Structure formats: C-alpha cells, structure tokens
C-alpha cells in the first residue's frame, strides 16, 4: 500500500510539473507570398526558429511559446483580421510587418493596448498620435537613409542623388526627411522615382544619367534593386548605388552578382561571415533547424529573430518580476528594456519617450562578394535634427 501511495504521489508531482508550463501565443502577420515576400519569407523563418530555440532551451522557465507566422500577402485587410484574432485570443504582444498595415492599425493598437513590434522601420509608426504601444526593433528608414547620405556627402561632396523607392508607404517613408537632410549636407536630391515591378529600367537610368546623378539611393527590397543595378551595369553607367536595410545585404549579392560591387548599404545587423557571437548564433540556429544557405545568409532571417527576441525578452522580464503575462505587463517590461542581444550591433533599449530599439547603424560596402563595414556603429544626429528639430 505504501508503494502505491508513493507512486501516486510521484505521478501527481510529475503531472503538476508538466501542467505548470504556460502556453503563450505570439502571432506574426506578414508577406510570405506577394509583394516584398522575398524579405518576408526569411523574416518569418527567423521568428519561427527563435521561438523554437526559446522553447528547446527553456529560456523562459514555465513558459511554452506558440508562435504562429501568418501569410497576409501584404494585404492590410488580412493584417487587420489577424491582429483582431490575436487580440481576441489574449496574445500579450503582436509582431507586424508592412508600413501600410502598421499605419492602418495604429489607432486600434492604441485602443486595445497590445504591444506591437513591426518589421516596418518607418518613423511614422512611432510618431504621435497613437504611438504608445508600437516599438521599432532598429533605427528607422529615415535614419538609415540619412546615415547613407551622410556617408555619401563625406566621400563625394556636392553629389547629385536620385531616390528609387518601392511604390508604397514603405517606399515613401524616408523621402521627406531625406530631402531635408540633403540640404544640410550640401548634396542634391534631383528626383524621386517609384519603381514599378518587372520593368526594364533603361529609360529611368538614362534620365538619371542626363541629370548628372552620381548616386541612386534605394528604399525597396532587394529584387527590384538588383534588376536596376544590373541594368545600370549593362548600360555601362558610372552611377553608384546605395540603399537602406531592406534594399541590400547578401540577398542583393545573390540576385545581382558582380553588378552589386561597390553598393553602399546601411543596417543594424551583423553579417553571417563576420567572426563574432551574433554571426555564430544565427548560423547555429539555421543549422539546428535545417535552414538552407539562402535563409541563413539573408539579413531578414536575424531581423525576424530580433523581433521575436524582443517579444520573448519582454515576456521573460515580466515573468521574472512575478507579474502575470499580459499585454500590460509586457508593455511595462518593454518600457524598461535594456537587452544586450546576440543579433545586432547595439543593445535593444526602450523607454517611455524612446520606442527605437537598436539605435546604432553601420554603413557597409559590397567588396568581392561580401558586405564589409566601412564605418563603426553610429547613430545619426542629423536625423534627429531634421525629424525632431533637436
């Protein structure tokens, strides 16, 4: 009889241990198919793998993460439906994607009070009004473009610049700040051209050449950028090329080949070939979860990891503080976050008045098939001057 009671007690203790794991849902809504999906598919895989790593390592004691990546096809109506479903379920945080979808949801995010971490780095996402609950993972598109303009002004004083942008709120996001910055830098933005998908860019490039353009600065994803720079090489143009986070990286090198040589690129992430803990962590996770080389080398893979990591870190901090995991406790944890993450060139820090996570960026240049840094990590004082008047 004693042995039966001992076995029953042991079984009860084990059952209590298994039951103690709290399931926490995190949803991402983004473009796995459709426009910009060449970035979105890798971003989704980064989220999935970081969540799997957190579960496999027991990173947050007593919590099992249920992470769901939804393909919204870059359609704002689908994004809205996904967000409403996550809120109705009681998810403590939501991971978004597009600029248009994020701007559409701003008032609703504010109303329901659920922290929202987008893949869109548009500064307008966190500008007033309705800006309490949205948190950018890294420095904004505006700061990225201004950072590369600062570098261009340094190496080519008085340069003439054209901007080639995605035909969407994502593409247009940094344009006004870039124009203001160019005036301060003594360079000229002679044209802003929206890039229609799948076209021959010969006429556009010839027009840029006739206007004396020295640099084209891209705010787009890598596919259209690769097509334009290949056309420029085919035409024998001497125009140089540069771009913000989504425009470049190993994805661009894979698509454009040697036409990308000399491309200037701004991002907050380390490259997979670098000898540091960040690159090692990304490669280890990619190998662990069976990802192909294209995924592991894409900058969008660690970008997705960072978004998931910010959410999971906030949940961990809330739980470690003895709070019930909820949208409000995660929000309070985000406001106090100072996370020396394994993915970017600086820590993720937030406060009530600062909803930009990683404040630092680097300019890199494509050299012999890899992107090599040509600056140390820095933040742009000029961005704060032109956008905030500080």
């Amino acid at each position: 009889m004693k042995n039966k009671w001992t076995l029953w007690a042991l079984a009860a203790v084990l059952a209590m241990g298994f039951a103690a794991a709290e399931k926490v849902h995190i949803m991402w809504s983004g473009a796995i198919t459709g426009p910009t999906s060449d970035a979105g598919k890798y971003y989704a895989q980064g989220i999935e793998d970081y969540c799997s790593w957190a579960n496999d390592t027991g990173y947050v004691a007593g919590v099992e993460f249920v992470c769901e990546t939804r393909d919204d096809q870059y359609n704002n109506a689908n994004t809205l439906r996904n967000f409403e479903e996550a809120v109705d379920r009681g998810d403590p945080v939501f991971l978004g994607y597009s600029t248009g979808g994020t701007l559409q949801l701003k008032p609703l995010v504010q109303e329901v009070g659920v922290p929202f971490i987008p893949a869109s780095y548009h500064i307008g996402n966190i500008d007033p009004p309705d800006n309490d609950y949205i948190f950018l993972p890294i420095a904004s598109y505006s700061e990225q473009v201004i950072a590369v303009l600062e570098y261009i002004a340094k190496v080519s004083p008085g340069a003439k610049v054209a901007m080639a942008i995605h035909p969407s709120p994502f593409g247009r996001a940094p344009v006004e700040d870039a124009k203001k910055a160019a005036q301060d830098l003594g360079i000229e933005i002679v044209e802003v051209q929206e890039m229609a998908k799948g076209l021959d860019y010969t006429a556009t490039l010839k027009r840029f050449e006739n206007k004396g353009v020295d640099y084209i600065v891209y705010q787009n994803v890598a596919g259209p950028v690769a097509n334009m720079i290949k056309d420029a090489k085919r035409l024998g143009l001497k125009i140089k090329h540069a771009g913000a986070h989504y425009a470049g990286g190993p994805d661009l090198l894979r698509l454009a080949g040697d036409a990308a040589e000399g491309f200037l690129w701004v991002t907050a992430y380390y490259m997979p070939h670098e000898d540091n803990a960040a690159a090692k962590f990304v490669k280890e996770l990619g190998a662990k979860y069976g990802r192909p080389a294209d995924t592991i080398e894409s900058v969008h893979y660690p970008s997705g990891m960072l978004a998931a990591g910010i959410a999971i870190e906030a949940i961990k901090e809330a739980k470690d503080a003895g709070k019930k995991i909820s949208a409000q406790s995660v929000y309070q944890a985000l406001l106090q976050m100072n996370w020396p993450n394994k993915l970017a060139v600086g820590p993720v820090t937030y406060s009530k008045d600062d909803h930009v996570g990683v404040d630092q960026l680097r300019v890199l240049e494509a050299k012999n098939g890899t992107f090599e840094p040509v600056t140390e990590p820095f933040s742009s004082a000029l961005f704060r001057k032109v956008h905030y008047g500080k």
Side-chain angles (χ1 to χ4, degrees):
M1 189 65 163
K2 183 178 178 181
N3 287 340
K4 286 183 179 179
W5 277 109
T6 302
L7 290 172
W8 178 88
L10 179 60
V13 169
L14 288 172
M16 287 173 63
F18 287 120
E22 176 183 1
K23 288 190 176 182
V24 175
H25 289 260
I26 300 174
M27 185 190 291
W28 173 78
S29 179
I32 298 174
T33 62
T36 77
S37 58
D38 49 348
K41 63 185 179 183
Y42 298 129
Y43 195 96
Q45 291 167 355
I47 290 169
E48 292 164 357
D49 291 354
Y50 196 94
C51 286
S52 295
W53 170 83
N55 284 334
D56 291 347
T57 59
Y59 185 68
V60 183
V63 170
E64 177 188 346
F65 292 100
V66 182
C67 295
E68 184 178 4
T69 52
R70 289 274 185 95
D71 182 10
D72 64 21
Q73 301 174 314
Y74 211 64
N75 182 314
N76 293 349
N78 293 338
T79 310
L80 173 60
R81 281 192 292 271
N82 290 337
F83 180 70
E84 289 175 334
E85 182 180 329
V87 171
D88 289 344
R89 185 170 57 196
D91 292 11
V93 62
F94 186 84
L95 307 181
Y97 184 69
S98 74
T99 300
T102 304
L103 291 174
Q104 170 194 257
L105 285 172
K106 271 187 80 175
L108 181 57
V109 170
Q110 184 76 12
E111 178 185 337
V112 300
V114 172
F116 189 104
I117 302 168
S120 164
Y121 308 138
H122 176 29
I123 194 65
N125 294 336
I126 59 171
D127 280 341
D130 302 326
N131 61 333
D132 289 334
Y133 290 92
I134 299 177
F135 295 83
L136 301 190
I138 68 169
S140 69
Y141 298 138
S142 289
E143 185 163 358
Q144 293 167 27
V145 169
I146 290 172
V148 82
L149 290 177
E150 289 178 291
Y151 187 80
I152 288 170
K154 179 181 176 182
V155 298
S156 302
K160 289 186 175 182
V161 174
M163 292 187 69
I165 65 173
H166 192 272
S168 69
F170 154 61
R172 302 176 198 112
V175 171
E176 291 309 310
D177 283 337
K179 288 178 177 178
K180 295 174 187 175
Q183 293 177 350
D184 273 52
L185 292 167
I187 60 178
E188 182 184 359
I189 295 180
V190 299
E191 185 176 342
V192 178
Q193 175 64 52
E194 295 193 358
M195 299 171 69
K197 185 177 180 181
L199 294 181
D200 183 318
Y201 294 115
T202 298
T204 299
L205 288 163
K206 285 289 190 182
R207 189 172 69 252
F208 289 169
E209 182 185 36
N210 290 338
K211 289 184 176 183
V213 167
D214 300 299
Y215 286 85
I216 303 172
V217 173
Y218 298 89
Q219 168 65 357
N220 208 324
V221 290
V225 176
N227 290 338
M228 186 172 272
I229 65 177
K230 285 190 290 187
D231 281 351
K233 180 177 174 62
R234 173 177 55 80
L235 293 167
L237 303 183
K238 301 301 182 184
I239 297 173
K240 297 175 183 177
H241 306 271
H245 169 82
Y246 281 107
D251 307 79
L252 181 67
L253 298 176
R254 175 170 48 83
L255 294 169
D258 61 3
E261 186 73 10
F263 191 97
L264 297 172
W265 177 52
V266 180
T267 189
Y269 296 94
Y270 287 109
M271 296 296 95
H273 67 271
E274 294 188 77
D275 184 16
N276 57 41
K280 182 180 178 184
F281 181 73
V282 170
K283 287 185 285 192
E284 284 179 350
L285 259 64
K288 178 178 175 65
Y289 297 112
R291 300 298 186 186
D294 285 357
T295 298
I296 296 169
E297 292 172 4
S298 171
V299 71
H300 312 306
Y301 185 53
S303 301
M305 288 185 189
L306 187 70
I310 291 168
I312 287 170
E313 196 67 22
I315 290 165
K316 182 178 188 297
E317 290 180 15
K319 187 169 178 62
D320 288 350
K323 297 177 182 177
K324 183 177 186 287
I325 296 171
S326 67
Q328 201 52 225
S329 66
V330 169
Y331 171 65
Q332 293 299 328
L334 284 166
L335 293 180
Q336 301 172 56
M337 181 169 285
N338 186 346
W339 177 38
N341 65 90
K342 298 179 179 180
L343 296 160
V345 300
V348 174
T349 60
Y350 296 117
S351 69
K352 186 176 185 300
D353 300 318
D354 178 10
H355 283 211
V356 174
V358 180
D359 296 314
Q360 295 180 310
L361 299 164
R362 293 189 301 175
V363 179
L364 301 96
E365 183 176 354
K367 298 178 180 180
N368 301 315
T370 60
F371 272 101
E372 301 294 343
V374 293
T375 71
E376 294 297 318
F378 71 102
S379 57
S380 172
L382 180 56
F383 160 71
R384 287 184 284 281
K385 177 185 175 184
V386 301
H387 190 77
Y388 298 113
K390 294 180 178 179

